Amino acid sequence: MDHEPNRLLRGLASLVVRRAVWVLAAWLVVAGAVNLAVPQLEEVVARDSTPVVPLDADSSRAVSLMDREFGSGRSHSFLVVLAEREGGLTRADVRYVEGLVPRLSADTENVSFVQDVRDDQVREALTSDDGEAVYLQVGIPGFTGAPSAIQQVEHVREVVRDGAPDGLDLLVTGPSATVSDMAVEAESSILVITLVTIGLIFALLLLIYRRLSVALIILGTVGLSLGVARGLTAWLGLHGVFDVSTFTGSFLTAIVLGAGTDYAIFLVSRYHEQRRLGVPARTAASYAAGRVSAVIIGSALTVVLANACMLVAELGVYTTTGPAIAVSVTATLLVSITLLPAMLALLGPRGLFEPRPASTGAGGWARLAALAVHRRVPMALAALVPLVALAALMPTMEPSYDTRGIQPEDTESNRGYDTLARHYPVNEVLPEYVLVSSDHDMRNARDLATLEQAASAAARTPGVALVRSVTRPDGEAIDQARVSYQAGVIGRRLRRAGDEVASGTEGARTLADGSAQVDEGAEELAAGADQAVEGAGMLVTALEELRSGLTRLESGADEAVAGTGELRAGARMLAVGLDAAYSQTRTAVDGLGMALDALESSLPCTLDPICRQARDGVREVYEGERDQLLPGLRDAAAAARQVAEGSGDLQTGLRQLDDGLEQARAGVEEITAGQRQFRQRLDELADGTEQLAEGTGRVAAGTSEVAGSVGDLEGGLGEAADYLTSTAERADTSAMGGFYLPPSALADDRFAAASRLFISPDGRTARIAVLGTDDAFSSAAAERSTQVRQVIENSLRDSRLQDADVVTTGMASANADLAAIEARDFRLIVAVALLTVFVILLVLLRSVVAAVFLLATVVLSYASAVGLGVLVFQWILDEPLEWSVPSLAFILLVAVGADYNLLLTKRMQEEAPDGSRAGIARAAAATGGVITAAGVIFAASMFALMAGSVDSLVQTGFVIGAGLLIDTFVVRTMLVPAVAAMLGPRLWWPRRRAPRPTVAPVDAAPQTSSR
């Protein structure tokens, strides 16, 4: 006997059967309300702004930084507007392109930045060498991949084409346009996918039930589920409960149609079992709903929680898909356990749900189940060998991040890339930007040289075709700043100097004669310096005696005041002595003044520091004698004469005499000190002049030799010029050449133009553009972007920019961030989803062994499906799997695979609670047709994704569909029954063994049919 169903579920089943009309009416009202009162899902998706790459990723931060420093501060994505005319752009074409600048700039809602091609230098830089194409960059406020950005891309395309000259091909391309085109293609595929899915499901339902009414009723119920799910998802997305994207609709449609059909098959199959036993339609509907609802709830709960796990991810493709699928499956679950039983109760009595007659004898599923149970090991090995072989291919997967390659070749962005490739260097509009941010202004020679070293290091990185920066705006270092250029200039100037030397032989002879005269003068100067030293010594001695005499005179003057008897005669003698001293001193002072004038007019003395110091000492002596000594002697002599002649007041004369002698004595002391210093300086001067004489002698000899060897000098200059010129040629490479930009060059107009493109207005952020040799969307480009960043960081070490912040952005950098974040998301999703599914299985089965076993089978099924995808797409078709395929496939295959195994295992618990092989065989035979039908239908709905025009949908549909078929025909049919039979009662550990069920007939007594 079957186990008793849950009382709550049994009560719910009874209620919906009794109130079938009301249930149908209620669901029709709900479906109408959520679709009429709420905007359609596509409209809600269009309002979303979720980026593909999270805003906190390095590449996203770099975009914001670059826009803030070089753009408008409002741009989050960039487009490229390309104009092309075969044969060359006309004047009208150029005027039209220039006119796009104000037209696009006027729309501040959809456009945030427009590159001003009206500037002649900018336009020339953006025009192709053949003159047939020109492009400009346009910034938009939407984030790349967000639905809002998609609308802005379309708006720019409309403005660009409006009024274009005939024959001018205008295309909008670039990374944001590429992602936009992919999303538009995916969205346009929804209708095709829906129609293909419905067609496949309808065909399979007809094949299974052979009754049109059953197929139509099931499709109608599932269609209502889809309507409710879309409306509910749109309402939640509109109110910000979770985000939605262009991929939401595609996956939601396929999964709801597949899951809803599966749930209907589960219910209808159990209903048909009861009807074949003769149970009335309404009773069979109530019985089937009460028994199967638990399985449907468990199955749906697995899918819901597994998809809800995507909320822990960072990438928008997961956060906008997982929650929407979870909500949609929840809505499908509610419709399945309420509306479908009501439809069975309403239409069953009218014969619209009658089953086909049961086949007599053992069916195919019974024979296959018996084989799996009785030949356990061979069947298990037959299943495991191909599964493990396919799973072994999974580690060889090389995920693709090429959003350009997964969409049709005729999208506008792809046509734009093809056009650019015909006229511009590779990756012209898809460079990697490296931003170097410092805490100071980098517009100085030292930092610019460091930036050039960084650019040069990046240019030497394998896979880099061209590097542009402030020091190399056209891809090559500024000529005038290269050491090779400067060496060449010096070499050419030396050659001209050699020519001038060759024509200056007579001047060299004149130089020799002049140097001889200098030598003679130096010898005379040395002799005069020796005499000056001797005279200075004598002068010091005389001054010492003079000071001593003046001291005695001053003492005598003091005594004269007390004794005036002998005053007149002594005063007369004193006046005569003072007059003689004044006359001799005056002669010495005049001679010293002439010597000072000669020293001050001497250029060699001015250049020689020792001579300059000696001259300063002479000046001090001269000024002291002139201003103090001579006036003191003169005043003292006059006062003595007044005393001698008696013409004047004696007291006044003595006082004047005393004051004069005091002034004279002070002057003599100062002069004596200065004279000592002067003598010391003259000693040094004498030594210097002797060295000068010796040196000028050598100069005279040397210049004579120069006059005789001008030819040798000319040859030497020629050799130096040749060497520097050849050095310039050898050093004319980025790896060999140095870099020096003098401060005067910073004001040059050409540097100013480059500065605006590659240096922020405050000079603290530098931008380096790196163009690769391969596809910017490839994995190799993503890896190279990381390598370039590391190379530049290393080149900044041990410089003033070693603490600068270095970030990269561009298509390759975004893909590198995408790869790193996706790897983290995948690990997190796998861990959370496996734990969630394990808990669900553990709760429903109450067996650790069964839960672990079933979880292992679905993981193996998933790995083999991905391995099959790698084999088909990567190895055979040479199209690597798109990066999101493994994660999306994991969630659905684990969840749906667990559903099917759960349905089988629950039936095993009913048929073989003691682990008997016969019970396991009965359960496998009873559910074989149902699970196979459900698996095939769900796989068909996934295969319908292959009708889309985007490769990511095609690959996802193939991998999930193939995985469902593997799970249906290999795992569920062969592996699970064989291993369950091996485990026997241990399968239910630690659950206590239940008694073997006794088969009792289901009450088939006729009952009164009601509508």
Side-chain angles (χ1 to χ4, degrees):
M1 176 182 289
D2 291 345
H3 297 299
E4 286 296 320
N6 182 280
R7 182 176 300 178
L8 179 61
L9 295 179
R10 185 176 58 187
L12 177 63
S14 176
L15 176 64
V16 297
V17 169
R18 292 197 313 269
R19 306 298 184 190
V21 175
W22 289 102
V23 171
L24 175 60
W27 277 116
L28 290 175
V29 171
V30 170
V34 296
N35 281 276
L36 295 177
V38 179
Q40 290 297 303
L41 180 60
E42 287 73 18
E43 297 180 28
V44 178
V45 166
R47 304 177 188 181
D48 188 71
S49 59
T50 304
V52 174
V53 180
L55 298 181
D56 58 352
D58 286 345
S59 58
S60 298
R61 291 193 301 108
V63 168
S64 300
L65 174 62
M66 187 166 63
D67 178 57
R68 184 170 64 251
E69 299 296 341
F70 298 94
S72 64
R74 296 178 50 243
S75 302
H76 296 111
S77 304
F78 292 91
L79 308 173
V80 175
V81 176
L82 174 65
E84 181 206 29
R85 180 185 292 275
E86 293 185 5
L89 297 170
T90 65
R91 290 182 177 271
D93 296 337
V94 174
R95 286 195 300 269
Y96 180 79
V97 173
E98 291 177 345
L100 291 177
V101 176
R103 289 172 57 194
L104 290 170
S105 300
D107 185 5
T108 57
E109 180 180 355
N110 296 295
V111 177
S112 54
F113 166 79
V114 181
Q115 194 170 18
D116 194 354
V117 291
R118 294 173 297 184
D119 184 283
D120 292 340
Q121 290 183 339
V122 174
R123 187 180 62 255
E124 290 176 4
L126 301 180
T127 302
S128 62
D129 292 339
D130 58 13
E132 294 186 349
V134 64
Y135 72 88
L136 67 152
Q137 284 191 336
V138 176
I140 57 177
F143 296 100
T144 298
S148 57
I150 296 173
Q151 290 184 326
Q152 292 159 8
V153 171
E154 293 303 318
H155 176 79
V156 170
R157 284 172 171 167
E158 292 176 2
V159 173
V160 164
R161 293 191 182 90
D162 186 18
D166 293 337
L168 182 64
D169 191 12
L170 289 157
L171 300 168
V172 176
T173 186
S176 188
T178 299
V179 178
S180 174
D181 287 345
M182 179 190 67
V184 169
E185 289 292 327
E187 185 176 355
S188 64
S189 300
I190 293 178
L191 179 59
V192 176
I193 291 171
T194 303
L195 294 176
V196 171
T197 303
I198 293 174
L200 289 174
I201 292 176
F202 181 70
L204 290 172
L205 289 175
L206 283 179
L207 182 64
I208 294 170
Y209 296 110
R210 309 292 176 87
R211 291 182 66 93
L212 180 61
S213 59
V214 175
L216 290 176
I217 294 170
I218 291 177
L219 275 180
T221 304
V222 174
L224 188 140
S225 299
L226 180 61
V228 172
R230 283 175 54 87
L232 188 58
T233 300
W235 187 85
L236 293 173
L238 182 65
H239 290 82
V241 177
F242 53 74
D243 297 321
V244 291
S245 67
T246 51
F247 287 95
T248 301
S250 300
F251 288 107
L252 183 152
T253 299
I255 291 172
V256 167
L257 291 177
T261 305
D262 278 4
Y263 302 155
I265 290 176
F266 294 163
L267 185 59
V268 172
S269 296
R270 187 59 72 95
Y271 171 82
H272 282 173
E273 286 183 8
Q274 294 299 304
R275 288 295 294 152
R276 290 191 182 99
L277 295 173
V279 177
R282 295 177 66 86
T283 303
S286 178
Y287 178 87
R291 293 282 177 169
V292 177
S293 291
V295 175
I296 294 177
I297 291 173
S299 175
L301 190 62
T302 305
V303 177
V304 169
L305 294 181
N307 280 276
C309 292
M310 293 190 189
L311 281 171
V312 302
E314 294 184 64
L315 294 178
V317 68
Y318 300 140
T319 59
T320 60
T321 303
I325 293 176
V327 169
S328 299
V329 172
T330 300
T332 304
L333 166 66
L334 296 176
V335 172
S336 299
I337 63 176
T338 56
L339 179 60
L340 190 55
M343 297 296 292
L344 291 174
L346 288 174
L347 303 178
R350 292 175 172 79
L352 297 179
F353 266 102
E354 289 305 299
R356 291 184 298 168
S359 60
T360 60
W365 293 114
R367 289 193 297 269
L368 188 58
L371 182 64
V373 169
H374 294 292
R375 299 183 61 83
R376 300 176 295 281
V377 175
M379 288 292 284
L381 290 176
L384 284 173
V385 170
L387 291 177
V388 172
L390 289 174
L393 299 178
M394 182 178 174
T396 67
M397 180 182 64
E398 298 176 356
S400 170
Y401 299 89
D402 187 1
T403 51
R404 182 175 67 181
I406 65 175
Q407 58 186 277
E409 295 181 355
D410 60 352
T411 59
E412 183 170 336
S413 60
N414 276 345
R415 290 189 288 116
Y417 291 127
D418 292 340
T419 302
L420 286 166
R422 292 196 299 268
H423 302 288
Y424 294 94
V426 61
N427 294 325
E428 171 74 14
V429 300
L430 293 173
E432 282 298 292
Y433 288 107
V434 183
L435 301 179
V436 180
S437 299
S438 177
D439 58 358
H440 63 273
D441 192 338
M442 293 182 285
R443 290 171 294 189
N444 57 78
R446 181 181 299 178
D447 288 341
L448 290 174
T450 302
L451 291 175
E452 167 56 24
Q453 291 177 1
S456 177
R460 295 193 299 271
T461 303
V464 172
L466 187 69
V467 176
R468 292 173 178 156
S469 68
V470 65
T471 61
R472 46 175 65 206
D474 59 353
E476 295 291 338
I478 299 173
D479 286 340
Q480 292 79 357
R482 290 200 304 239
V483 169
S484 60
Y485 176 86
Q486 296 170 4
V489 171
I490 295 173
R492 290 189 293 273
R493 291 181 179 178
L494 283 176
R495 189 178 300 280
R496 288 198 298 269
D499 295 339
E500 293 176 0
V501 168
S503 62
T505 305
E506 185 63 31
R509 294 195 182 95
T510 303
L511 175 63
D513 295 339
S515 63
Q517 295 177 5
V518 170
D519 182 39
E520 294 176 0
E523 291 177 354
E524 294 177 0
L525 178 60
D530 291 335
Q531 295 175 3
V533 170
E534 181 180 357
M538 296 172 62
L539 181 59
V540 169
T541 303
L543 287 173
E544 290 287 351
E545 295 176 356
L546 178 61
R547 185 178 64 83
S548 177
L550 287 174
T551 301
R552 291 194 299 270
L553 285 174
E554 186 178 4
S555 300
D558 291 337
E559 294 175 357
V561 177
T564 58
E566 300 175 355
L567 177 60
R568 192 176 299 274
R572 186 177 296 111
M573 293 175 64
L574 177 61
V576 172
L578 289 174
D579 285 336
Y582 176 81
S583 178
Q584 294 175 0
T585 302
R586 177 61 181 269
T587 301
V589 169
D590 290 342
L592 189 62
M594 295 175 64
L596 178 63
D597 291 339
L599 289 173
E600 288 183 341
S601 62
S602 173
L603 179 61
C605 187
T606 301
L607 298 176
D608 190 307
I610 298 177
C611 185
R612 284 201 308 271
Q613 293 177 1
R615 184 176 63 188
D616 293 340
V618 172
R619 184 183 297 106
E620 292 178 1
V621 172
Y622 170 71
E623 292 176 352
E625 291 178 347
R626 184 193 62 189
D627 298 336
Q628 293 186 350
L629 178 59
L630 288 178
L633 292 174
R634 184 176 62 249
D635 293 344
R641 281 194 299 273
Q642 289 179 357
V643 173
E645 295 173 357
S647 59
D649 182 68
L650 178 60
Q651 188 67 30
T652 302
L654 289 174
R655 185 177 296 109
Q656 292 177 355
L657 174 62
D658 185 57
D659 292 343
L661 290 174
E662 174 66 23
Q663 182 179 3
R665 185 181 62 79
V668 169
E669 289 178 351
E670 182 176 351
I671 292 170
T672 302
Q675 187 63 31
R676 290 193 187 98
Q677 182 180 4
F678 177 50
R679 180 178 179 179
Q680 180 181 356
R681 296 293 184 267
L682 284 178
D683 288 337
E684 296 174 357
L685 177 62
D687 295 338
T689 53
E690 291 176 358
Q691 296 175 5
L692 176 62
E694 181 181 355
T696 52
R698 290 197 297 268
V699 170
T703 50
S704 298
E705 293 178 3
V706 169
S709 59
V710 171
D712 295 339
L713 178 60
E714 178 188 0
L717 289 174
E719 292 178 1
D722 293 339
Y723 172 76
L724 288 173
T725 303
S726 62
T727 299
E729 295 174 354
R730 291 195 303 269
D732 195 16
T733 64
S734 298
M736 295 288 293
F739 186 89
Y740 173 72
L741 195 64
S744 59
L746 302 181
D748 187 86
D749 292 340
R750 292 169 295 179
F751 177 82
S755 178
R756 289 193 298 270
L757 292 175
F758 298 103
I759 292 283
S760 62
D762 62 1
R764 297 190 174 191
T765 302
R767 176 168 59 175
I768 301 174
V770 181
L771 281 69
T773 57
D774 44 18
D775 187 358
F777 292 86
S778 65
S779 298
E783 295 174 359
R784 186 182 61 247
S785 70
T786 302
Q787 183 180 3
V788 167
R789 175 177 176 174
Q790 294 172 348
V791 166
I792 290 181
E793 287 177 340
N794 292 337
S795 69
L796 299 181
R797 291 179 180 175
D798 300 326
S799 72
R800 296 205 310 169
L801 301 180
Q802 62 181 355
D803 295 327
D805 184 30
V806 180
V807 292
T808 59
T809 188
M811 199 68 242
S813 294
N815 285 341
D817 287 343
L818 192 63
I821 297 172
E822 196 278 332
R824 294 197 302 268
D825 281 354
F826 181 70
R827 291 192 296 267
L828 188 59
I829 289 172
V830 167
V832 176
L834 288 179
L835 180 61
T836 301
V837 172
F838 175 75
V839 170
I840 294 174
L841 293 174
L842 190 62
V843 170
L844 294 178
L845 298 176
R846 300 180 184 179
S847 169
V848 175
V849 174
V852 171
F853 167 56
L854 295 184
L855 195 62
T857 60
V858 295
V859 170
L860 179 61
S861 176
Y862 160 76
S864 62
V866 174
L868 179 61
V870 171
L871 176 65
V872 172
F873 289 100
Q874 181 174 309
W875 288 23
I876 298 177
L877 300 180
D878 195 23
E879 295 179 0
L881 289 179
E882 205 260 346
W883 58 272
S884 64
V885 172
S887 296
L888 294 174
F890 178 84
I891 290 295
L892 292 177
L893 286 178
V894 169
V896 177
D899 291 349
Y900 297 161
N901 288 333
L902 179 62
L903 180 64
L904 171 60
T905 310
K906 287 293 289 183
R907 190 62 178 259
M908 286 181 181
Q909 283 186 337
E910 295 178 5
E911 300 290 343
D914 58 351
S916 65
R917 297 174 187 173
I920 293 173
R922 286 196 303 271
T927 58
V930 177
I931 295 178
T932 301
V936 170
I937 288 178
F938 210 146
S941 67
M942 290 294 101
F943 283 133
L945 291 173
M946 299 179 68
S949 57
V950 178
D951 286 354
S952 58
L953 293 176
V954 174
Q955 294 173 350
T956 302
F958 175 84
V959 170
I960 297 177
L964 291 172
L965 294 181
I966 290 173
D967 189 79
T968 299
F969 291 103
V970 180
V971 175
R972 198 234 42 104
T973 304
M974 301 170 62
L975 185 61
V976 172
V979 175
M982 292 180 190
L983 293 173
R986 294 185 296 272
L987 179 63
W988 312 120
W989 185 88
R991 186 175 182 177
R992 289 181 300 176
R993 180 183 300 181
R996 291 177 60 85
T998 58
V999 180
V1002 177
D1003 183 10
Q1007 298 181 9
T1008 305
S1009 178
S1010 61
R1011 290 183 302 174

